[in-house]
Amino acid sequence: MRINYEPGFAIEKDVEVVINSANNNLLLGTSGAGKIRELSSKLSFVETFNYWIMLKYLPRNMKKWYRESYKKHGWEVRKAQVSCLTLLLKNKGESYAIGSAILDVHTFKNKKIIHAVAMGYDTEKDKDRRIKATKNSLEESLENSLALAQVIKAKTIAVPIMCSRPDYGLNPKESLAITNKVLKKFDKAFDKVIVCLDNDLTLKLKSKL
């Protein structure tokens, strides 16, 4: 398996599968997840109406958190977020387990997306609601994601250096070390993996790679 370390977002790479650094509620926020949202198609009037209908089926506090997050940041709801909401409703509106991996039905230019849930948000809390990633949760979510990619017979993958900001739980060096550790376990499974440096902190690692 060839491993390339490249600047840029995973969704922009020429691969079969993109690993998204996801939270347990699959809200597409910033960084790589936000780029997936931004690059996906805009919603028609009917699709927008359906999104708001779907949102009503979420638990009250999660629904409120979704609405507040989009309003606060001025994000536009797009098809990738609707697809994530569909996955959440299939999970009975419950948050996904930290450490899990979910294959999305939404694709972008024939790229499949796997959501690796290494961190989360407790929407029942008003303060300190972020559930920070740990070394164990990152390793578990990456292992589950790569195993899922193996099941769908992908040979090329792009993965970000996940949860690598202090308020997300890990620093870039810790996240990169875990990423490399997990990739070694799948050495024979894939032809190429692109490890993406998609923010100001991870870009500082480039000179050491």
Side-chain angles (χ1 to χ4, degrees), residues 23-48:
N23 57 68
N24 59 339
N25 300 317
L26 300 188
L27 183 142
L28 297 173
T30 58
S31 197
K35 183 59 66 172
I36 290 173
R37 181 191 65 249
E38 292 170 8
L39 292 179
S40 65
S41 302
K42 292 187 176 184
L43 302 181
S44 66
F45 175 81
V46 173
E47 288 170 330
T48 302

Side-chain angles (χ1 to χ4, degrees), residues 9 12 15-17 29 33 59 68 72 90 94 113 118 120 137 144 163 175 200 203 206:
F9 294 102
E12 297 173 325
V15 293
E16 297 167 284
V17 167
E68 288 178 348
K72 176 182 178 181
K90 286 183 178 179
E94 297 180 0
I113 298 170
S137 70
N144 287 332
C163 305
S175 182
D200 54 340
L203 281 169
K206 185 169 174 56

Side-chain angles (χ1 to χ4, degrees), residues 26 45-46 48 100 103 105 129 131-132 158 188 191 202:
L26 300 188
F45 175 81
V46 173
T48 302
S100 61
L103 177 64
V105 295
R129 59 173 46 158
I131 304 168
K132 292 185 177 182
K188 305 297 182 183
D191 294 335
T202 56

Side-chain angles (χ1 to χ4, degrees), residues 64-168:
K64 179 182 177 183
W65 179 69
Y66 254 79
R67 288 175 170 171
E68 288 178 348
S69 296
Y70 267 82
K71 182 179 180 180
K72 176 182 178 181
H73 297 283
W75 297 329
E76 180 182 5
V77 180
R78 296 203 173 198
K79 284 191 176 181
Q81 186 64 80
V82 172
S83 183
C84 286
L85 189 56
T86 300
L87 293 172
L88 202 57
L89 291 177
K90 286 183 178 179
N91 200 45
K92 299 180 180 179
E94 297 180 0
S95 301
Y96 279 93
I98 303 293
S100 61
I102 309 100
L103 177 64
D104 205 329
V105 295
H106 175 263
T107 60
F108 177 76
K109 294 184 178 179
N110 296 320
K111 300 171 193 175
K112 295 183 182 299
I113 298 170
I114 295 175
H115 301 287
V117 182
M119 59 166 285
Y121 293 89
D122 184 349
T123 55
E124 296 299 315
K125 294 183 179 180
D126 292 326
K127 296 181 179 180
D128 301 322
R129 59 173 46 158
R130 181 177 285 125
I131 304 168
K132 292 185 177 182
T134 65
K135 292 180 180 180
N136 287 338
S137 70
L138 176 56
E139 184 172 348
E140 184 180 8
S141 65
L142 278 177
E143 282 190 1
N144 287 332
S145 296
L146 294 179
L148 191 51
Q150 196 173 15
V151 168
I152 61 176
K153 299 181 180 179
K155 287 298 180 182
T156 56
I157 297 174
V159 56
I161 299 178
M162 295 168 49
C163 305
S164 54
R165 293 184 181 276
D167 53 346
Y168 287 177

